[in-house]
Amino acid sequence: MDGNKKVIFSGIQPSGDLTIGNYLGALKNWAALQDQYDSYYCVVDLHALTVRQDPAELRARTLKNIAIYVASGLDPKKNTLFIQSHVPAHSEASWLLSCFCYMGELSRMTQFKDKSQKVGESVSSALFTYPVLMAADILLYNTDLVPVGSDQKQHIELARDLAIRFNNLYSPTFTIPEPYIGDTGARIMDLQEPDKKMSKSADNPNAYVLIMDPPDVIRRKISRAVTDDLGVVKYNESQPGISNLISILSTIAGKKPEDIEKEYDGIGYAKFKSDVAEALVEELQPLQNIVKQLLDDKPYMESIYKSGAEKASYVANKTLRKMQKKLGLIPR
């Protein structure tokens, strides 16, 4: 931990296999930031429990996520990589913060409103309160920046509100976090409905490309991606499908969208789609090989998440003790 560096925190749920949206929109950006920040990245397995999970699959995906973090370029020596449930301070701090969070604040959360409308009264209370746990995740590490997609900014606002409320009541305790939204790859869209963000929970398997998809599957899904009848490779609002493919290629190749437009001027969609697919295959195959090697090395994997949990616990417990003392709880 470097006291001169700002702190960055984020995490991904192991509720499904990770997509190229997770990789290009989050993981690739995280790796680029690791020398600039004191970074904490966890697999938020407790958040995944807001919906029913198969226990064996949840354990397997949690380990796979850690392996994908490392394979994506996150050095365990430069970043604190851990599993959320291995740091009990997250659950404890969540309860303490929930005592300062209002029902109205949680009921306004867009994701809760969207999901609760689908399932009605059987919606889990955890789905209602999980933004408080997310706030605890962030605030325990005196986080300065949280890399998130624009759809998560509402949750960062809640974390900020709770931190300010607690600080005002009990003296400065938390750093007030800010969202960090990368310039590139911040929002990879659904391949079949490009007005929606790519999601691993989409019903149509052609809507997303998984990080661990084989090359032939990647090529097939990209070839089936929705485009339009214009036949022109342009990055604009009237061509969301093509713009999404340009965004994917731009993030992988490190090229500006306008440069890709020039490169494919007068060239049809078939060639463009083929090149996007091959760029993805070339990008993902080395990563997939590393993931498989890591998952075969259980002692090394265990050393990563155990060491990460120890580092995270040291910092999180210091913050938790401050919270407990200011609230009047007797120290253990």
Side-chain angles (χ1 to χ4, degrees):
M1 293 173 288
D2 187 338
N4 296 320
K5 290 183 177 180
K6 287 190 173 183
V7 175
I8 204 162
F9 174 95
S10 197
I12 300 175
Q13 289 190 37
S15 53
D17 290 324
L18 300 187
T19 72
I20 59 168
N22 299 119
Y23 174 64
L24 299 177
L27 295 168
K28 198 172 175 72
N29 284 335
W30 294 0
L33 299 172
Q34 62 188 348
D35 291 321
Q36 303 171 48
Y37 298 97
D38 186 8
S39 305
Y40 295 82
Y41 296 121
C42 70
V43 179
V44 286
D45 54 342
L46 294 175
H47 288 294
L49 298 178
T50 56
V51 296
R52 291 287 180 268
Q53 301 290 334
D54 178 276
E57 289 181 5
L58 179 61
R59 284 190 287 269
R61 284 195 303 265
T62 298
L63 289 174
K64 187 189 291 185
N65 278 20
I66 291 285
I68 289 174
Y69 285 9
V70 177
S72 298
L74 291 173
D75 186 341
K77 294 179 181 178
K78 294 181 179 180
N79 305 273
T80 303
L81 308 178
F82 65 102
I83 297 168
Q84 181 190 29
S85 62
H86 289 189
V87 183
H90 287 247
S91 299
E92 294 187 61
S94 177
W95 170 253
L96 298 182
L97 288 175
S98 71
C99 297
F100 299 88
C101 187
Y102 307 137
M103 293 281 286
E105 290 174 311
L106 294 177
S107 65
R108 287 192 293 271
M109 292 290 149
T110 304
Q111 290 197 9
F112 172 76
K113 288 193 288 187
D114 291 345
K115 293 177 181 178
S116 61
Q117 286 175 357
K118 295 178 182 177
V119 296
E121 291 186 2
S122 62
V123 64
S124 160
S125 63
L127 193 62
F128 184 71
T129 59
Y130 93 91
V132 184
L133 177 57
M134 185 183 293
D137 298 339
I138 294 165
L139 298 179
L140 280 171
Y141 300 96
N142 290 306
T143 301
D144 296 290
L145 296 169
V146 186
V148 290
S150 56
D151 58 324
Q152 290 287 340
K153 287 180 70 175
Q154 192 180 31
H155 291 148
I156 306 305
E157 286 300 320
L158 178 67
R160 287 171 54 83
D161 290 343
L162 292 177
I164 291 169
R165 190 172 300 153
F166 194 98
N167 287 353
N168 288 341
L169 285 167
Y170 296 102
S171 77
T173 307
F174 301 117
T175 299
I176 310 302
E178 297 281 352
Y180 177 94
I181 299 175
D183 295 331
T184 59
R187 197 167 173 83
I188 303 299
M189 311 304 285
D190 187 298
L191 295 176
Q192 296 301 311
E193 298 181 72
D195 58 328
K196 298 179 180 179
K197 184 179 177 181
M198 183 178 286
S199 171
K200 53 185 177 272
S201 61
D203 293 331
N204 186 345
N206 289 314
Y208 52 80
V209 173
L210 300 176
I211 291 175
M212 299 302 290
D213 271 344
D216 60 328
V217 174
I218 294 172
R219 294 185 182 104
R220 184 176 70 248
K221 289 181 177 181
I222 295 297
S223 72
R224 294 177 178 176
V226 168
T227 53
D228 51 58
D229 298 326
L230 299 178
V232 180
V233 178
K234 285 288 183 182
Y235 190 79
N236 57 55
E237 291 183 1
S238 63
Q239 295 180 265
I242 287 295
S243 294
N244 188 37
L245 295 177
I246 289 175
S247 184
I248 292 170
L249 186 57
S250 170
T251 308
I252 293 173
K255 296 179 180 179
K256 295 179 180 179
E258 53 265 35
D259 292 333
I260 293 174
E261 288 179 349
K262 292 176 185 176
E263 186 177 342
Y264 289 91
D265 185 26
I267 298 176
Y269 289 169
K271 169 63 174 169
F272 174 59
K273 281 185 170 184
S274 175
D275 288 353
V276 173
E278 292 309 315
L280 267 174
V281 169
E282 189 174 334
E283 176 84 5
L284 294 178
Q285 273 199 305
L287 184 155
Q288 293 171 354
N289 292 336
I290 295 171
V291 169
K292 292 169 185 174
Q293 291 169 10
L294 287 169
L295 291 176
D296 285 339
D297 191 346
K298 291 184 180 179
Y300 180 62
M301 285 291 294
E302 189 174 303
S303 72
I304 291 173
Y305 64 74
K306 278 193 171 182
S307 173
E310 288 173 5
K311 292 182 197 174
S313 293
Y314 176 78
V315 176
N317 286 335
K318 285 204 299 185
T319 305
L320 179 63
R321 283 194 294 270
K322 285 182 184 178
M323 295 174 68
Q324 292 167 334
K325 182 177 180 181
K326 293 182 180 185
L327 289 171
L329 301 180
I330 295 174
R332 295 169 191 166

